[in-house]
Amino acid sequence: MSSSPLLFSGSSNRALAEEIAKRLKVNLGKALVSKFKNEETRVEIQENVRGREVFVIQSICKAPNGNGVNDAVMEALLMIDALRRASASRITAVIPYYGYAKQDKKTKGREPISAKVMANILKVTGAKRVVTMDLHAAQIQGFFDIPVDNLMAMPTLCNYLKKEGLCDDRIVVVSPDAGGVHRAEIFAKRLNCSLAIVFKRRPEPDVNEVAEIVGDVEGRAAIIVDDMISTGGTLDKAAQAIRRRGATQVYTVATHGIFAGEAIDVLESSEIERIIVTNTLPFPNLEGHPKFIQLSIAQTFADAISRITTNRSVSELFGDDISPFDIAAPEPAAV
Ligand code: R5P
């Protein structure tokens, strides 16, 4: 039996899947991923997978070909189902961006727990393991009864910041909300910076207001650290508040660049100098937007896949001083 992993990709972030495959020195498995004329998702695995260790790489997000978030879910599920029925020995769902994570608890009556629904359908369909990155809330791991490796973009993002010289006691790392404090603390420790916290209120979904800032930002360059950028509102408002408090410059880093709606324009005209994200989601066309930087986390996924395939530790990838398993704390309920 071949020990090299077989990698398959849906359409949501094929560029990342190709990069991961290249770094593992394998080709992506042959599969047809398309739609029937009636818009239903159509999948066909086009090579033998019997007895093989397989990885299905699919971010839960919009695809460059126009397919929506829900198409990404269906593609992943149908690929997993097809692989299971074709007798793959173990199927790992590699979900660089785990969508549907924002509703991870009931904040009021009659709400779903969407992150749990995702976990249920992945498992029931046949995933035996999940590899993801910077879950919106670490406890989502507990929604699965199968192993979950929650990788971190932090080393990649910190290396970039260090190369740019953004790593000494003249810099302050800022969490844009209470839920992100633990993540920001880890960055501050890695970069030898101090820490500040913005407390935000969400009067309604996708809208936020800054309530208070704790910590000293005056006369310092600030790096706001977040897990995701959706509408850009959180970062825009946090940057305005920090600048009003006397920060000299504002940079932002986030793992997942969703850039929903008008986010690019909001951030382009914001007080933020540079917006740094990774390629867990495909980047929109940003020609003429020099503020935006995208870093690749393909090597982190390639390393994790290689270690899983050979039964080696995945947490070793992130050093001894932090746990990759508790980096994200839940955002408090909207108030
Ligand atoms: C919240 O808990 C997250 O960490 C992000 O701050 C938030 O989802 C970003 O959303 P937006 O860009 O729409 O403000």
Side-chain angles (χ1 to χ4, degrees):
M1 189 181 81
S2 169
S3 63
S4 67
L6 264 177
L7 272 47
F8 289 91
S9 174
S11 67
S12 70
N13 197 350
R14 196 171 164 95
L16 173 60
E18 276 168 358
E19 205 185 326
I20 296 170
K22 200 168 159 196
R23 287 169 191 253
L24 287 167
K25 299 190 171 48
V26 297
N27 291 320
L28 284 180
K30 291 193 191 70
L32 172 84
V33 182
S34 66
K35 282 192 180 182
F36 290 103
K37 286 219 165 92
N38 67 0
E39 295 282 307
E40 288 171 7
T41 301
R42 177 178 172 212
V43 161
E44 203 181 295
I45 304 298
Q46 295 173 320
E47 62 181 276
N48 178 26
V49 297
R50 190 172 291 275
R52 297 290 298 271
E53 163 111 54
V54 297
F55 294 81
V56 175
I57 304 172
Q58 177 83 323
S59 277
I60 304 305
C61 63
K62 275 166 71 174
N65 67 5
N67 279 352
V69 175
N70 296 338
D71 293 316
V73 176
M74 277 314 289
E75 286 180 10
L77 296 177
L78 297 188
M79 291 184 93
I80 291 168
D81 185 70
L83 290 162
R84 180 175 55 81
R85 291 173 193 279
S87 305
S89 66
R90 181 169 66 171
I91 304 162
T92 298
V94 180
I95 308 179
Y97 170 62
Y98 188 93
Y100 279 108
K102 282 197 171 203
Q103 283 191 297
D104 58 356
K105 57 187 165 299
K106 285 179 73 168
T107 58
K108 55 179 189 280
R110 300 184 296 281
E111 278 186 338
I113 303 183
S114 316
K116 172 66 175 156
V117 173
M118 281 288 298
N120 286 348
I121 53 179
L122 282 164
K123 189 188 158 202
V124 164
T125 311
K128 289 285 179 268
R129 171 184 288 275
V130 171
V131 178
T132 184
M133 181 167 266
D134 290 332
L135 280 168
H136 184 56
Q139 78 271 14
I140 291 171
Q141 293 165 90
F143 294 174
F144 290 90
D145 292 325
I146 53 177
V148 177
D149 292 305
N150 184 21
L151 310 179
M152 288 186 290
M154 182 274 295
T156 306
L157 295 168
C158 280
N159 285 345
Y160 173 86
L161 294 167
K162 281 182 181 166
K163 268 195 221 133
E164 296 296 301
L166 294 164
C167 56
D168 58 40
D169 56 9
R170 291 165 303 166
I171 314 277
V172 57
V173 169
V174 181
S175 171
D177 52 40
V181 174
H182 184 50
R183 179 184 304 110
E185 251 184 316
I186 292 169
F187 274 75
K189 192 172 159 205
R190 281 273 166 125
L191 299 170
N192 287 323
C193 303
S194 57
L195 181 69
I197 303 158
V198 172
F199 287 94
K200 86 176 173 194
R201 261 196 289 266
R202 271 207 191 278
E204 54 186 280
D206 289 332
V207 176
N208 78 85
E209 293 164 358
V210 170
E212 189 48 74
I213 300 174
V214 173
D216 192 7
V217 297
E218 195 173 348
R220 296 163 191 248
I223 305 168
I224 310 177
V225 175
D226 211 346
D227 63 326
M228 65 169 87
I229 304 175
S230 183
T231 63
T234 298
L235 294 181
D236 179 34
K237 296 271 171 53
Q240 286 175 29
I242 294 165
R243 288 282 280 152
R244 274 200 304 273
R245 279 285 182 93
T248 53
Q249 289 174 311
V250 180
Y251 299 84
T252 64
V253 294
T255 305
H256 309 296
I258 300 166
F259 301 124
E262 308 304 312
I264 300 289
D265 294 336
V266 168
L267 294 169
E268 190 63 57
S269 57
S270 73
E271 302 197 39
I272 304 169
E273 303 277 326
R274 223 175 296 167
I275 298 114
I276 301 135
V277 295
T278 79
N279 56 349
T280 55
L281 287 96
F283 219 36
N285 184 4
L286 287 169
E287 225 171 278
H289 295 283
K291 273 188 175 189
F292 292 80
I293 308 266
Q294 188 190 42
L295 306 176
S296 176
I297 39 66
Q299 190 61 50
T300 306
F301 278 95
D303 288 341
I305 289 171
S306 163
R307 283 166 178 268
I308 289 165
T309 310
T310 50
N311 289 322
R312 283 177 296 146
S313 161
V314 171
S315 52
E316 265 174 21
L317 282 174
F318 302 101
D320 293 335
D321 55 337
I322 47 165
S323 161
F325 304 112
D326 71 349
I327 190 155
E331 183 183 23
V335 287

